[in-house]
Amino acid sequence: MSPGSTRHNVNVSGVFIGGDAPIVVQSMTNTDTADITATVAQVKLLHESGSELVRITVNNDEAARAVPHIIDQLDAEDCRVPVIGDFHFNGHKLLSQHDACARALAKYRINPGNVGHGKKRDKQFSEMIEIACRYDKPVRIGVNWGSLDQNLLANMLTRNANLADPLSLTMINRQAVIESALGSAAFAEEIGLPADHIVISCKMSRVPDLIDVYQTLAQRCQYALHLGLTEAGMGDPGVIASSAALAILLNQGIGDTIRVSLTPEPGATREREVKVAQQVLQSLGLRSFTPSVTACPGCGRTTSEYFQVLAKQIQQELDQSMPDWKHKFPGVESMQVAVMGCVVNGPGESKHANIGISLPGTGEQPVAPVYEDGRKTVTLKGDNIAGEFIDLVKNYVESHYSVD
């Protein structure tokens, strides 16, 4: 298949992955799933931040027993986000022994590298797939190179060692995660799981590996693909590495759902990974989540910090308003606002935006022309330019995006 070809469309409790559906943002909790109150609170936070699917760990009996109560509580609080169960090592037992958990989850995530070893692997994998078939649940077959099927890897290394020109260990690792994912997906289909119930992922922790693996996957299968750089790290390095990898693949038409796996700062909440994923998609023009602010970086012509302060104020105002605006003003998420610091690019950028302001740079007249849809509508002066422009932005939203 070519990278841009249409993939199987997977229905996860009303959220569609693949086919012609928009690329879906997802995330994962880090609470103890057995703590129902904490898990419900974090699922809600992630969903309110923009996560369209949320995955939770199901690692023991207590967690499995908590799952239906978590989902009931989310429903009671009108949080309708599909919840995915993340299974490792003992998923076959948990799904078999906790029928309410198996029924309540919207999707199962299975790691073929740790579902079992030797003869147990196929049996335990089959048990999980059969339960998914019984309850009509989609499955993500999620391979991680940090927990790769060691038997598969050992066999590939042995064959490679006997070649006249053996491949590098890096290349063998890449091939192994691909073969694990595709082989497991084919086995799931043999058991009875339809192809449009399968999402596959091959998580790598290095950008070149991830790009190479998914480019190969896109050529070799039609399954919906989940993208994400695993163990990306904390702070800017994690954001940059994830953004670099995802942007390259998404720009090639590869990927149907994404997660940015960031290590949160100690004590911090987890919604930053959701915002980064949204910004990656928005910066590529693939989806719109919130009005964007174009602002110049500043130079010797903009020695005043005024445009920086105003740009920050505008962005904060937009972020705070979006929870209300997205219901009242459909389409506002695609609005573009420009806050520019001098006459060099100020008028031009402002004309290209829906609404923009060109603030005076060093030595310029102390006036700030405002442009709406390419036309200058007013020139602001005085000490309250920021407040007046924010009011103009709000008026623009009400006049251009209201459904009344």
Side-chain angles (χ1 to χ4, degrees):
M1 293 292 120
S2 64
S5 62
T6 300
R7 303 199 163 271
H8 295 299
N9 193 229
V10 182
N11 182 356
V12 185
S13 297
V15 175
F16 290 88
I17 301 172
D20 296 324
I23 297 165
V24 173
V25 173
Q26 60 179 281
S27 54
M28 185 176 183
T29 61
N30 64 355
T31 56
D32 178 357
T33 303
D35 187 337
I36 295 171
T37 300
T39 302
V40 166
Q42 194 170 83
V43 170
K44 286 184 64 180
L45 174 66
L46 291 169
H47 181 52
E48 288 166 1
S49 299
S51 184
E52 294 155 307
L53 300 173
V54 178
R55 184 160 44 111
I56 62 175
T57 296
V58 187
N59 59 332
N60 53 37
D61 291 315
E62 291 77 14
R65 281 193 288 268
V67 165
H69 299 291
I70 290 168
I71 294 170
D72 285 346
Q73 184 63 37
L74 289 168
D75 287 344
E77 297 184 28
D78 200 29
C79 180
R80 306 293 178 179
V81 61
V83 176
I84 301 163
D86 190 62
F87 295 96
H88 298 274
F89 306 110
N90 59 352
H92 60 294
K93 291 183 179 179
L94 296 175
L95 286 171
S96 298
Q97 296 171 6
H98 296 276
D99 184 70
C101 170
R103 290 174 180 272
L105 291 167
K107 181 161 72 86
Y108 310 153
R109 186 280 175 112
I110 303 174
N111 183 342
N114 57 32
V115 75
H117 300 287
K119 294 180 180 179
K120 290 183 177 180
R121 179 195 178 281
D122 286 355
K123 179 178 181 297
Q124 292 172 182
F125 182 84
S126 296
E127 289 176 13
M128 298 181 76
I129 297 300
E130 287 168 359
I131 292 170
C133 293
R134 184 184 312 154
Y135 296 126
D136 196 30
K137 304 293 184 179
V139 171
R140 171 156 71 96
I141 295 173
V143 180
N144 275 56
W145 80 331
S147 54
L148 191 57
D149 183 335
Q150 293 303 299
N151 290 332
L152 172 65
L153 181 60
N155 290 335
M156 293 184 69
L157 287 170
T158 299
R159 292 197 302 270
N160 185 63
N162 294 323
L163 296 176
D165 187 16
L167 299 173
S168 67
L169 179 59
T170 295
M171 293 304 298
I172 292 298
N173 272 321
R174 292 176 181 179
Q175 290 185 4
V177 296
I178 293 169
E179 295 310 318
S180 177
L182 295 181
S184 298
F187 186 29
E189 285 199 67
E190 289 176 15
I191 296 166
L193 190 67
D196 65 0
H197 281 49
I198 297 173
V199 180
I200 64 174
S201 67
C202 290
K203 294 291 192 72
M204 317 293 282
S205 60
R206 292 200 290 260
V207 173
D209 293 320
L210 191 81
I211 293 169
D212 181 77
V213 163
Y214 275 92
Q215 287 173 335
T216 303
L217 282 173
Q219 295 285 346
R220 291 185 56 183
C221 74
Q222 276 187 293
Y223 299 115
L225 300 178
H226 170 75
L227 301 187
L229 191 72
T230 191
E231 289 99 33
M234 181 183 289
D236 288 346
V239 171
I240 292 166
S242 292
S243 300
L246 294 177
I248 290 170
L249 291 168
L250 291 168
N251 202 48
Q252 294 174 357
I254 299 171
D256 303 291
T257 176
I258 65 171
R259 181 190 173 201
V260 174
S261 300
L262 297 179
T263 304
E265 298 287 343
T269 55
R270 293 183 68 85
E271 67 266 31
R272 189 184 185 197
E273 68 176 43
V274 179
K275 296 302 183 183
V276 172
Q278 289 181 327
Q279 286 300 313
V280 170
L281 294 175
Q282 185 150 332
S283 66
L284 293 170
L286 296 172
R287 292 190 65 182
S288 295
F289 298 95
T290 188
S292 60
V293 177
T294 301
C296 66
C299 67
R301 300 177 65 92
T302 57
T303 52
S304 169
E305 293 182 348
Y306 195 85
F307 80 96
Q308 300 164 352
V309 172
L310 179 56
K312 184 176 181 179
Q313 287 178 325
I314 289 294
Q315 189 65 68
Q316 291 174 338
E317 185 70 35
L318 295 175
D319 291 343
Q320 292 170 4
S321 299
M322 270 308 294
D324 180 50
W325 282 0
K326 67 182 179 182
H327 300 296
K328 293 172 60 177
F329 304 116
V332 70
E333 65 275 3
S334 63
M335 183 177 72
Q336 294 183 319
V337 181
V339 179
M340 303 301 294
C342 80
V343 74
V344 173
N345 292 316
E349 288 285 0
S350 296
K351 290 176 182 177
H352 289 306
N354 295 103
I355 180 170
I357 186 170
S358 180
L359 293 161
T362 304
E364 296 179 21
Q365 289 186 351
V367 296
V370 174
Y371 298 83
E372 296 184 22
D373 299 322
R375 297 185 305 104
K376 187 169 78 169
T377 55
V378 67
T379 299
L380 302 181
K381 304 176 184 178
D383 299 327
N384 192 32
I385 288 176
E388 292 178 16
F389 182 65
I390 288 173
D391 287 341
L392 288 172
V393 171
K394 292 178 179 179
N395 290 337
Y396 185 93
V397 170
E398 291 179 1
S399 63
H400 286 73
Y401 298 100
S402 177
V403 294
D404 297 332

